[in-house]
């Protein structure tokens, strides 16, 4: 567990500049709203110094440790409940337990994500919060107590299902079509069962990347909605973004599709498509290693 969490911290710190730029663009920060992705990446260090790219990263680092612990503990707990109470076993109960564990970890650590977003949106010289503890105290005191930390939770939870579903469905479809229509070109015999065809590794990576890109594209408007709602009173138009539906309508009405609902999407492709490609490829290789084909 510690090694997994430390690896997660390193990975998140590596992409922290991309995360900060994405938050600034998604919510149209007035200092950078006229810029694109790469020009914002260049403008932030000039205006706020190199460490400006890492604003909010401390809260993210703190979040990784409880997130992983809660996810693993709740996964085992849900797995037992689903097996004993519902009588469901096999791949289905692992999928259900994994989804529920992911949602539980998100809900439990959501306040840290909220604080991270608030800190990342601040620009040098205009700080509302002096740090993580001050942000917690201020949000609790001025935004309705404990519930103030859960603005934007609904689009977060709703967005998890289509993302996972679309990515798995797309990968499975691409794999099936590829092996059916071009088995010699795209496939090879599985190492654990020569009678079963599997995708070649580079084709696996390609299919995983495509699946991740499509899933990101479909669920991205909910990510933008979540960020807007999380920022709440920090934004001048916060009273128009109190619910998920109102926020979606507001973003679409004022900024349209490309510069509103999909602003910053290219950063998500850079961040998530390679990781999805590797994740699906690792999954397929582990199936062979564990003789599951």
């Amino acid at each position: 567990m510690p090694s997994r969490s430390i690896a997660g911290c390193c990975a998140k710190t590596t992409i922290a500049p991309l995360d900060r730029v994405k938050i600034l663009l998604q919510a149209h920060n007035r200092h950078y709203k006229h810029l694109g992705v790469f020009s914002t990446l260049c403008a932030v260090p000039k205006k706020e110094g190199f460490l400006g790219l890492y604003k909010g990263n401390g809260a993210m680092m703190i979040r990784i440790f409880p997130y992983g612990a809660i996810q693993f503990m709740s996964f085992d707990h849900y797995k037992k409940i689903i097996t004993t109470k519902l009588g469901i076993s096999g791949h289905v109960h692992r999928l259900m337990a994994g989804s529920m564990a992911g949602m539980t970890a998100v809900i439990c650590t959501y306040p840290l994500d909220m604080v991270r977003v608030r800190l990342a949106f601040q620009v040098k010289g205009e700080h509302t919060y002096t740090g993580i503890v001050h942000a917690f105290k201020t949000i609790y005191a001025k935004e309705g107590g404990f519930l103030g930390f859960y603005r934007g939770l609904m689009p977060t939870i709703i967005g998890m299902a289509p993302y996972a579903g679309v990515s798995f469905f797309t990968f499975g479809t691409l794999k099936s079509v590829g092996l059916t229509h071009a088995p010699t070109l795209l496939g090879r015999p599985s190492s654990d069962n020569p009678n079963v065809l599997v995708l070649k590794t580079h084709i696996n990576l390609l299919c995983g990347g495509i699946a991740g890109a499509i899933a990101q594209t479909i669920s991205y408007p909910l990510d933008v909605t979540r960020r807007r709602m999380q920022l709440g009173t920090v934004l001048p138009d916060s009273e128009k973004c109190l619910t998920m539906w109102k926020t979606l309508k507001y973003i679409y009405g004022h900024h349209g599709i490309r510069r509103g609902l999909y602003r910053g999407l290219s950063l998500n492709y850079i961040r998530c498509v390679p990781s999805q490609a590797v994740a699906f490829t690792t999954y397929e290789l582990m199936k062979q290693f564990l003789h599951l084909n």
Side-chain angles (χ1 to χ4, degrees):
M1 181 70 70
S3 60
R4 182 186 172 92
S5 298
I6 291 167
C9 287
C10 293
K12 287 292 183 183
T13 300
T14 302
I15 61 168
L18 301 180
D19 277 337
R20 169 135 203 256
V21 168
K22 189 178 78 162
I23 291 167
L24 291 170
L25 294 178
Q26 281 180 325
H28 293 82
N29 185 289
R30 67 188 186 88
H31 295 279
Y32 302 105
K33 64 181 181 181
H34 60 289
L35 301 174
V37 169
F38 295 106
S39 49
T40 304
L41 269 171
C42 296
V44 169
K46 288 179 183 176
K47 183 175 179 62
E48 305 179 60
F50 179 73
L51 291 179
L53 291 168
Y54 291 88
K55 275 190 179 175
N57 194 49
M60 177 55 71
M61 296 301 96
I62 296 169
R63 184 188 183 213
I64 285 172
F65 287 90
Y67 186 95
I70 292 165
Q71 192 172 31
F72 276 98
M73 287 191 300
S74 58
F75 175 73
D76 289 333
H77 184 65
Y78 288 132
K79 203 163 61 168
K80 287 176 186 174
I81 292 174
I82 292 165
T83 306
T84 55
K85 304 289 185 185
L86 302 179
I88 300 171
S89 59
H91 294 300
V92 175
H93 91 296
R94 281 193 292 273
L95 180 63
M96 289 175 65
S99 300
M100 292 164 71
M103 288 183 186
T104 302
V106 165
I107 291 168
C108 291
T109 60
Y110 196 80
L112 279 165
D113 189 45
M114 161 80 86
V115 168
R116 191 271 294 229
V117 170
R118 294 289 181 96
L119 294 174
F121 194 72
Q122 295 186 132
V123 176
K124 187 177 181 181
E126 299 178 2
H127 284 189
T128 305
Y129 313 107
T130 56
I132 295 171
V133 175
H134 183 249
F136 267 107
K137 287 180 178 178
T138 306
I139 293 168
Y140 184 84
K142 296 184 178 180
E143 298 185 39
F146 193 63
L147 288 177
F149 293 107
Y150 283 90
R151 290 175 62 102
L153 180 62
M154 185 62 73
T156 305
I157 297 297
I158 292 174
M160 289 176 74
Y163 181 80
V166 169
S167 59
F168 275 102
F169 173 79
T170 305
F171 180 79
T173 302
L174 290 171
K175 179 182 174 182
S176 176
V177 170
L179 292 176
T180 301
H181 295 284
T184 309
L185 180 66
L186 304 180
R188 62 173 176 80
S190 173
S191 58
D192 66 317
N193 186 352
N195 296 319
V196 174
L197 273 181
V198 295
L199 293 173
K200 293 175 181 176
T201 303
H202 64 285
I203 304 298
N204 247 324
L205 286 166
L206 179 62
C207 291
I210 293 170
I214 292 172
Q216 282 288 340
T217 304
I218 290 172
S219 63
Y220 192 75
L222 288 170
D223 188 48
V224 175
T225 302
R226 169 179 62 143
R227 292 303 182 214
R228 278 260 173 184
M229 292 179 72
Q230 282 180 323
L231 286 165
T233 55
V234 174
L235 299 175
D237 46 18
S238 60
E239 74 284 351
K240 296 173 183 175
C241 300
L242 296 176
T243 67
M244 184 179 80
W245 182 240
K246 283 182 179 179
T247 307
L248 277 167
K249 282 176 68 177
Y250 176 82
I251 295 168
Y252 176 72
H254 284 74
H255 305 291
I257 294 174
R258 188 175 68 85
R259 294 188 60 80
L261 295 174
Y262 283 96
R263 186 163 168 80
L265 177 61
S266 58
L267 282 170
N268 254 30
Y269 288 152
I270 295 168
R271 288 172 65 252
C272 299
V273 170
S275 66
Q276 280 291 92
V278 171
F280 276 112
T281 302
T282 304
Y283 171 70
E284 290 293 308
L285 291 172
M286 288 304 295
K287 278 170 62 180
Q288 295 173 55
F289 179 73
L290 297 172
H291 301 283
L292 298 176
N293 282 313

